[in-house]
């Protein structure tokens, strides 16, 4: 496979958590439009890969490289990776009490737009988009008003993650 | 993480500038002659001077309280100047045109234009600069409704009966060390009277500014809401950035007659000192209100400034069915120390109180909630609900809760809930993974934590408070 039209390229990645090596020499290339599923037994390092790619504290890369659109991903801050288009759907999304879903999403969307040099989205336009996204993942619009993941059921949390992915 | 937070929290204090105003300032020192001079500067009647002097004699006998969880060098009361006023105020300007433009510019810089046309519609402001009130806006409009809103130094002359009757009626002269000191040397502050059955047509607010060096500010506010009336009042405070500590010891008294309601909000942003704890305001404040039958007093405070805060806005629920509320956000960072909370004294039947306190500590600060809920024997069916939440940012700060509950009536119900949490790594990671930078993430999490209190602030100020918190946390990388 050639590198030229690859979107995400992982080369010989070695990564560890608390000095325990979890990922030992991973190569992966994802081209635009491709869907990949990574499978493996418990402890194989699937979640670790997600965290390493998104730059979570405590996950360290020992060797290898990762590029997104040709840019060195491992060199970027977590938020810059997100702005570059990396989205991690959480296994156990954490609650942020008192911050409404709508507020959180708009702030995220605005941060990403700002990184692309675009103006902040108007509240009215955003509300329209957010309502449409809710509909798509079959969540009542009332969810937008609730605190981020506050008191959501497991299924609701997952749908909420999907909705965020649609909007960002 | 902590190192980043500390670095990031060393932000600029935006209100830290000094105004170039020529002032008449007393030599440092405190004795009966100084009190006579203060009284003389204000042209006070004899009874007011006598009241001051008796408070001063009480104060000399009192001890500085040491029970609060704050640590600061002993204050030398002889090294402080007790009166300072811009020279231009000596001739008592009759209108805004006569006020020194430098004074007006000071308030404009702080975001409080005093020219009525430029102001937020619906808010009247009393601007207090060091020891004097500079200007009080919208007075005529308020007078039409029968509302009195003026500097307390003026009220002493114009409304002596009201002042004489109520000053010291809620906070007695010898209530505590700082209150007694304030009674002896208070300089200015606001006086409000809302007549029977009147709903004050505007928000009232007082803006306190300390400018002069080595000067203490001893403000005194008295608000009387007559039967069935309603008023919402807000105070704001800032001071220049200086290496020396300055003392601010205020007394606020609220009187809510039968069926009256007073809503009192504070946005306190005195200079907090630098990251090593150098400089900053010592804020020792006594605030208390009395509720008669069916009356309600609601205190809301957002405390982000001062190097030391010692403050317990309280309610005496004297009348049956009266209601007291206390909503507080206290943010400390750097080396700030806050010991704040409330007292709810239930005397009447079926009295109700609610306490919601949110403490946020960052840097190497210490943040304490100290509260007393007392159910007296006569408080049949009284209820209290208290919720104290603490949020820690970083691993070098402290959060403490000292709730005191005294129940002498078996039918009274007292509830207390408390939580302590940290801005968690998971929360930070979630926010950053969605593209938010760490500063925005922390301020969003903190704002969410404070939401219950912010919703109690008057609309215009809720936005201000949110912004203030954002500035205070600017760069607080998690």
């Amino acid at each position: 496979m050639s590198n030229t039209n690859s979107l995400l390229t992982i080369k010989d990645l070695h990564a560890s958590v608390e000095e325990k090596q979890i990922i030992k020499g991973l190569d992966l290339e994802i081209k635009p439009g491709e869907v990949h599923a990574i499978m493996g037994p418990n402890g194989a390092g699937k979640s670790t890969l997600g965290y390493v790619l998104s730059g979570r504290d405590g996950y360290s890369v020992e060797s290898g490289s990762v590029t997104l659109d040709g840019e060195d991903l491992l060199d970027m801050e977590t938020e810059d990776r997100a702005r570059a288009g990396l989205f991690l759907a959480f296994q156990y999304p954490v609650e942020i009490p008192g911050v409404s879903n709508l507020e959180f999403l708009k702030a995220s969307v605005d941060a990403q737009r700002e990184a692309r040099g675009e103006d902040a989205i108007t509240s009215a336009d955003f509300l329209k988009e957010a309502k449409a996204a809710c509909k798509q993942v079959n969540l009542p619009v009332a969810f937008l008003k609730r605190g981020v993941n506050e008191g959501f059921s497991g299924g609701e949390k997952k749908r909420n993650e999907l909705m965020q992915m649609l909007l960002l | 993480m902590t190192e980043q937070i500390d670095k990031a929290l060393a932000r600029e204090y935006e209100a830290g500038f000094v105004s170039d105003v020529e002032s008449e300032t007393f030599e440092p020192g405190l004795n009966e002659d100084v009190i006579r001079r203060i009284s003389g500067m204000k042209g006070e009647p004899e009874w007011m001077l006598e009241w001051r002097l008796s408070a001063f004699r009480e104060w000399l006998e009192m001890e500085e309280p040491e029970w609060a969880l704050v640590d600061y060098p002993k204050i030398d009361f002889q090294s402080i100047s007790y009166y300072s006023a811009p020279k231009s105020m000596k001739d008592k300007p009759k209108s805004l045109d006569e006020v020194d433009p430098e004074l007006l510019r000071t308030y404009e810089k702080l975001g409080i234009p005093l020219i009525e046309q430029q102001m937020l519609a619906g808010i009247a402001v009393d601007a207090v600069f060091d020891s004097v009130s500079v200007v009080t806006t919208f007075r005529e409009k308020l007078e039409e409704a029968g509302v009195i809103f003026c500097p307390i130094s003026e009220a002493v002359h114009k409304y002596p009966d009201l002042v004489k009757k109520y000053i010291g009626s809620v906070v007695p002269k010898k209530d505590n060390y700082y209150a007694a000191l304030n009674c002896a040397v208070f300089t200015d502050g606001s006086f409000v009277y809302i007549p029977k059955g009147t709903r004050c047509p505007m928000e009232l607010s007082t803006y306190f500014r300390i400018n002069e060096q080595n000067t203490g500010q001893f403000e005194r506010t008295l608000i009387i809401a007559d039967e069935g009336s309603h008023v919402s009042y807000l105070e704001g405070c800032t001071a220049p950035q200086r290496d020396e500590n300055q003392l601010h010891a205020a007394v606020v008294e609220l009187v809510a007659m039968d069926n009256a309601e007073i809503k009192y909000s504070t946005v306190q942003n005195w200079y907090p000192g630098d990251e090593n704890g150098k400089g900053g305001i010592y804020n020792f404040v006594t605030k208390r209100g009395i509720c008669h039958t069916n009356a309600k007093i609601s205190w809301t405070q957002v405390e982000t400034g001062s190097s030391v805060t010692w403050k317990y806005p309280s309610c005496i629920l004297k009348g049956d069915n009266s209601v007291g509320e206390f909503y507080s956000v206290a943010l400390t960072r750097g080396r700030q120390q806050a010991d704040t909370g409330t007292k709810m004294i239930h005397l009447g039947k079926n009295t109700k109180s609610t306490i919601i306190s949110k403490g946020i500590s960052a840097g190497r600060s210490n943040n304490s909630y100290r509260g007393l809920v007392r159910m007296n024997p006569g408080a049949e069916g009284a209820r209290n609900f208290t919720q104290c939440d603490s949020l820690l940012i970083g691993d070098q700060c402290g959060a403490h809760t000292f709730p005191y509950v005294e129940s002498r009536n078996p039918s009274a119900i007292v509830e207390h809930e408390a939580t302590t949490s940290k801005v968690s790594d998971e929360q930070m990671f979630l926010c950053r993974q969605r593209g938010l930078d760490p500063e925005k993430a922390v301020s969003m999490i903190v704002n969410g934590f404070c939401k219950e209190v912010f919703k109690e602030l008057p609309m215009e100020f809720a936005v201000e408070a949110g912004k203030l918190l954002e500035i205070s946390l600017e760069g607080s990388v998690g």
Side-chain angles (χ1 to χ4, degrees), chain B residues 104-381:
Chain B
L104 296 180
R105 260 198 301 279
T106 301
Y107 287 93
E108 212 174 291
K109 241 164 131 176
L110 294 166
I112 307 138
L114 296 178
I115 295 164
E116 294 187 357
Q117 291 80 2
Q118 293 174 7
M119 294 188 46
L120 281 170
I123 302 168
V125 179
D126 183 16
V128 177
F129 191 88
D130 289 331
S131 306
V132 288
S133 167
V134 174
V135 69
T136 309
T137 63
F138 291 113
R139 284 171 67 162
E140 280 141 39
K141 190 173 168 194
L142 289 167
E143 271 162 29
E144 281 169 28
V147 171
I148 302 170
F149 180 41
C150 70
I152 197 154
S153 54
E154 190 182 316
V156 169
H157 295 282
K158 277 191 167 167
Y159 314 100
D161 294 344
L162 282 172
V163 176
K164 226 184 213 171
K165 183 168 176 194
Y166 291 107
I167 196 166
S169 70
V170 191
V171 178
K173 271 183 287 192
K174 56 181 200 180
D175 185 77
N176 68 71
Y177 190 75
Y178 299 104
L181 176 64
N182 175 286
C183 292
V185 301
F186 78 89
T187 41
D188 228 332
S190 299
F191 175 81
V192 176
Y193 173 78
I194 315 290
K196 271 183 197 170
T198 303
R199 199 177 171 92
C200 184
M202 308 179 86
E203 291 276 344
L204 303 183
S205 89
T206 303
Y207 197 90
F208 295 97
R209 174 75 176 168
I210 297 178
N211 188 59
E212 197 60 27
Q213 208 157 356
N214 297 329
T215 308
Q217 194 177 51
F218 303 91
E219 87 214 31
R220 181 126 202 150
T221 294
L222 176 58
I223 299 177
I224 303 151
D226 215 330
E227 286 170 27
S229 69
H230 179 284
V231 62
S232 171
Y233 175 94
L234 181 124
E235 61 169 357
C237 344
T238 60
Q241 195 161 336
R242 295 190 194 281
D243 287 346
E244 301 82 30
N245 294 103
Q246 278 179 287
L247 178 63
H248 172 257
V251 172
V252 175
E253 295 179 283
L254 309 183
V255 180
M257 308 296 269
D258 294 355
N259 301 303
E261 184 175 342
I262 301 175
K263 191 174 169 63
Y264 191 107
S265 314
T266 304
V267 175
Q268 188 262 106
N269 186 25
W270 295 118
Y271 176 55
D274 70 8
E275 67 271 32
N276 297 316
K278 200 169 170 84
I281 302 288
Y282 293 155
N283 193 32
F284 296 92
V285 173
T286 306
K287 292 182 168 175
R288 196 174 302 153
I290 187 161
C291 286
H292 293 277
T293 306
N294 295 322
K296 178 177 171 184
I297 289 179
S298 180
W299 298 99
T300 304
Q301 60 173 21
V302 178
E303 305 277 317
T304 63
S306 299
S307 71
V308 174
T309 297
W310 182 99
K311 180 182 169 192
Y312 316 90
S314 304
C315 297
I316 300 168
L317 302 172
K318 186 178 176 208
D320 292 350
N321 308 312
S322 60
V323 177
E325 293 175 341
F326 175 73
Y327 299 95
S328 170
V329 165
L331 170 82
T332 53
R333 61 199 172 76
R335 298 274 183 154
Q336 277 177 282
Q337 307 173 71
D339 194 301
T340 184
T342 184
K343 289 193 276 188
M344 293 291 176
I345 311 296
H346 291 253
L347 303 178
K349 292 191 187 82
N350 299 315
T351 45
K352 260 194 270 179
S353 65
T354 305
I355 300 170
I356 310 280
S357 163
K358 304 275 182 177
I360 303 140
S361 339
R364 294 179 177 202
S365 67
N366 257 316
N367 201 325
S368 307
Y369 167 81
R370 188 182 301 275
L372 168 68
V373 176
R374 178 184 290 157
M375 301 295 186
N376 270 39
E380 276 295 309

Side-chain angles (χ1 to χ4, degrees), chain A residues 54 56 77 79 82-83 86-88 90 95 97-99 103 107-108 111-112 161 164 168, chain B residues 424-427 429-438 440 444-445 447-449 451 478:
Chain A
S54 48
R56 183 166 191 172
E77 293 289 346
E79 57 272 22
R83 291 165 190 168
L86 194 75
F87 183 97
L88 179 70
F90 285 82
E95 297 181 2
V99 178
E103 204 179 326
S108 307
Q112 303 215 358
E161 292 288 293
Q164 293 180 22
L168 289 168
Chain B
S424 73
D425 292 348
E426 281 90 11
Q427 289 172 330
F429 181 61
L430 170 65
C431 293
R432 294 179 68 189
Q433 212 299 310
R434 297 299 181 254
L436 298 175
D437 54 42
K440 178 77 193 164
M444 188 180 242
I445 293 166
N447 266 292
F449 176 75
K451 189 164 271 176

Side-chain angles (χ1 to χ4, degrees), chain B residues 91-105:
Chain B
D91 307 325
K92 300 220 166 73
K94 300 239 160 20
S95 72
L96 265 182
D97 306 336
E98 294 175 23
V99 174
D100 178 0
E102 182 60 27
L103 287 173
L104 296 180
R105 260 198 301 279

